[in-house]
Amino acid sequence: QVQPVESGGGLVQAGDSLRLSCAASGRTFSSYTMCWFRQAPGKEREFVAVISWSGGSTYYTDSVKGRFTISRDNAKNTVYLRMNSLKPEDTAIYYCAARYLGTSYNPRAYDYWGQGTQVTVSS
């Protein structure tokens, strides 16, 4: 069992960068697939990026490919989302979620969620 806690959100201008962190408690963090989702006002929660339990596989939604990078440090029980060239349409609450072993893009497949961190990108 893991409990994710996100940090690093904020208000930035278009073109700026941010790095989100997700620290997860639990001694088996390295067995969990970690995923970032986001939810904008009035919209459904959407997949952003996922990293496998080993860190060997990563996948991104098309709108962030080439701009966002997901990574993990299993020694620190932490997953990161580096966001470059931010756009106003990236404005959302970003959630970190954990799932035992298998990779999925579906938020319903994830058992453990953080409280979210707000990212606001002004034009």
Side-chain angles (χ1 to χ4, degrees), residues 32-76:
Y32 284 79
T33 290
M34 300 298 296
C35 192
W36 288 97
F37 294 89
R38 65 186 179 187
Q39 188 165 18
K43 295 187 177 181
E44 293 187 352
R45 193 166 297 189
E46 66 170 352
F47 164 77
V48 177
V50 63
I51 187 166
S52 63
W53 60 270
S54 67
S57 297
T58 57
Y59 302 95
Y60 301 90
T61 192
D62 286 346
S63 63
V64 308
K65 284 181 181 177
R67 299 189 298 122
F68 290 13
T69 303
I70 189 171
S71 61
R72 68 189 295 162
D73 185 339
N74 285 343
K76 296 183 178 179

